[in-house]
Amino acid sequence: MIVVMKAEASEEELDEVLAAVPKDKYDSHIFRGVDRTVIGLIGKGKDKETLKNRLSSYSSVDKVIAILDPYKLTSWNFKPEKTVIQLEHVKIGGEKPTVMAGPCAVENEEQLMTTARAVKKAGAEILRGGAFKPRTSPYSFQGLGEEGLKLLAKARQETGLKIVTELMDIEHIDVVTEYTDIIQIGARNMQNYPLLTAIGQLNKPVMLKRGMSATIREWLLAAEYIMTEGNHQVILCERGIRTFGEETRNTLDLSSIPMIKEISHLPVVVDPSHGTGRWELVRPMARAAVACGADGLIVEVHPKPEEALSDGPQSLKPDKFALLMEEISGMKNYLNRKISRNLQSVV
Ligand code: PEP
Ligand code: MN
């Protein structure tokens, strides 16, 4: 349930209300909004009606709303303001789309540094690059592991780009967290609940990719797994789902962007590289993603895609990536980005 405090409620009154919640049955998640504070109570207590009545009786409480729908911490009910993830000067979920770009996998220093410099010059703010790679075949390049993370950190140091890289299992949580700014949870791990629970306990932004055949409901519930542990810094990433088409690697479900924005305050970014599997389709789909309200893009870029150790066919060369950046910055209509439950920003 959601407890909406009155605008004038003091910290002491908030503490009083929190103290009335049975700690053994409910976890309290506090959201301090611009106007007022909201408490999200998540738990399995059987006495919900009694608790609702008790909390409603406090003069500092405006209203208590029971949430019956499956979305709790991800929903606008809990947080009527949009989530903006802030990494120093870089924002995800702000006024303009944030672009993450880089190779599918970190292969060597030269490849990474060349790519990092190129994407930075073109206007990207975050460098992507896998060090632990989930490959379909056990015989394919599996990533450089910690050495790859060190190269990413070096690229960050030189370019000022932030880093996003994939965490594949609990075993590597410490090492990946040490180096990265954003933890990527890949499509294959979207429903790895022990992993989601573990990263929910960190204080680090997480980019949760949509599972290969996940519904929007399953995807948002995966985000709930992370948030209910206390980590509310979640970015969703639409990366396409499996359908019957053979011409593209996946079907990029752009309708999920406005759909999620109806339900959730979380930022959504789009991956047109994995979403299509073909570099020729990346720019058109990136433009379409921005036009329908995506908060950002994650794009694979490689200096020599024909020599890439993974995902070459869907990687843009730096010149094409620069073109993409020009195209989207020319789209005046970063249209109607939803900034709160009812409001759309006017650009
Ligand atoms: C990736 O970003 O390189 C990746 C493996 O993505 P996904 O999990 O979406 O397949
Ligand atoms: Mn890839």
Side-chain angles (χ1 to χ4, degrees), residues 101 103 111-121 127 155 159 161:
Q111 169 246 19
L112 186 68
M113 297 309 282
T114 310
T115 316
R117 287 179 200 127
V119 301
K120 164 84 184 183
K121 185 158 174 246
L127 177 65
T159 60
L161 290 163

Side-chain angles (χ1 to χ4, degrees), residues 104-108 111 135 140-144 302 304-312:
C104 176
V106 179
E107 297 170 8
N108 56 59
Q111 169 246 19
R135 303 305 302 279
S140 302
F141 176 59
Q142 304 287 311
L144 296 179
H302 197 289
K304 294 186 187 139
E306 56 294 346
E307 291 173 18
L309 297 182
S310 70
D311 287 350

Side-chain angles (χ1 to χ4, degrees), residues 103-105 128-130 132-135 166 184-189 207 209-210 212 237-240 249-250 271 274-275 298 300 310-311 314:
C104 176
R128 64 147 291 147
F132 295 95
K133 292 303 303 174
R135 303 305 302 279
E166 179 161 355
Q184 172 173 329
I185 297 297
R188 293 155 191 79
N189 266 323
M207 184 177 76
K209 292 190 117 187
R210 182 175 182 177
M212 299 213 195
C237 175
E238 167 61 58
R239 48 78 73 203
R249 181 174 178 182
N250 289 294
D271 176 345
H274 293 86
I298 176 159
E300 288 187 340
S310 70
D311 287 350
Q314 67 192 35

